Amino acid sequence: NAGVTQTPKFRVLKTGQSMTLLCAQDMNHEYMYWYRQDPGMGLRLIHYSVGEGTTAKGEVPDGYNVSRLKKQNFLLGLESAAPSQTSVYFCASSYGKQETQYFGPGTRLLVL
Amino acid sequence: AQKVTQAQTEISVVEKEDVTLDCVYETRDTTYYLFWYKQPPSGELVFLIRRNSFDEKNEISGRYSWNFQKSTSSFNFTITASQVVDSAVYFCALKTSGSRLTFGEGTQLTVNP
């Protein structure tokens, strides 16, 4: 099993550009999450999904959109990137609400 | 509200020393889950352990051990005979039924040869 994978690993964007980060998991997990990690601020939840076709806002959802069209995939979109969105983005998945979250390798995003 | 405090921002030890990483949590829930994750220099987040609030049994896994004490709201992590490969940022995290997974700020552990 590959676990949780993320595409791409690294990306540079110009302010105003859009992009989509892809997360895939092969563990048949119901729950999926997107976090961002910034120095001194730890990991913060952006959006999450409790199942195929559902999404919900987390702690810092502004400027991001998500979709969960298939159970195994969770997409994070930036419609108009801003320098404040420079960060490392982690996807995670879990079997249930209280179960362990397993993380992907992360995507480094730099917005110029 | 939930909170996790890792007071040690950075710890530096010499190989083969034992080291303890502290984690103090706050929650009003009686049912909760505690986690430790490791983030090596390569950047990924690796799950180490999960503990629920009803199980105060300490756990040992090789050189790793965890001490869960509800009386002091602590879930400390000890590495025995540390190795250079243990160098990483270690995160403690808390999950309750009605809240998101809350992470501490992390402790940067450096093990020098």
Side-chain angles (χ1 to χ4, degrees), chain B residues 15-75:
Chain B
E15 210 170 14
K16 298 184 182 177
E17 283 186 28
D18 298 348
V19 57
T20 295
L21 310 182
D22 297 333
C23 173
V24 174
Y25 61 92
E26 295 176 29
T27 180
R28 292 180 181 175
D29 285 30
T30 55
T31 301
Y32 52 89
Y33 303 85
L34 294 162
F35 304 83
W36 275 95
Y37 287 88
K38 174 182 179 180
Q39 187 172 39
S42 51
E44 71 271 27
L45 278 160
V46 179
F47 163 71
L48 294 178
I49 191 170
R50 173 178 184 262
R51 252 305 176 247
N52 73 57
S53 54
F54 300 113
D55 185 1
E56 275 192 86
K57 177 182 64 181
N58 293 328
E59 181 153 341
I60 298 175
S61 176
R63 295 184 297 106
Y64 294 173
S65 61
W66 290 269
N67 183 347
F68 177 25
Q69 290 195 338
K70 289 175 75 171
S71 60
T72 56
S73 297
S74 64
F75 186 42

Side-chain angles (χ1 to χ4, degrees), chain A residues 33 35 37 40-45 58-59 88 90 97-106 108, chain B residues 33 35 37 39 41-47 49-50 91 95-101 103-105:
Chain A
Y33 314 81
Y35 291 87
Q37 184 180 29
M41 306 197 74
L43 281 102
R44 293 180 292 169
L45 182 64
E59 185 184 1
V88 180
F90 285 98
K97 187 179 181 182
Q98 309 299 356
E99 301 301 318
T100 300
Q101 293 183 25
Y102 293 92
F103 286 79
R108 288 190 175 274
Chain B
Y33 303 85
F35 304 83
Y37 287 88
Q39 187 172 39
S42 51
E44 71 271 27
L45 278 160
V46 179
F47 163 71
I49 191 170
R50 173 178 184 262
F91 291 95
K95 180 76 173 68
T96 63
S97 61
S99 77
R100 58 182 168 78
L101 186 62
F103 286 85
E105 294 282 327

Side-chain angles (χ1 to χ4, degrees), chain A residues 50-99:
Chain A
V50 303
E52 181 179 324
T54 74
T55 63
K57 293 180 180 180
E59 185 184 1
V60 288
D62 294 342
Y64 305 94
N65 56 74
V66 287
S67 64
R68 182 105 181 265
L69 299 179
K70 293 182 178 181
K71 184 177 183 178
Q72 64 267 33
N73 295 339
F74 194 29
L75 278 62
L76 177 71
L78 286 73
E79 290 184 348
S80 180
S84 61
Q85 294 177 305
T86 293
S87 187
V88 180
Y89 292 86
F90 285 98
C91 176
S93 71
S94 66
Y95 186 72
K97 187 179 181 182
Q98 309 299 356
E99 301 301 318

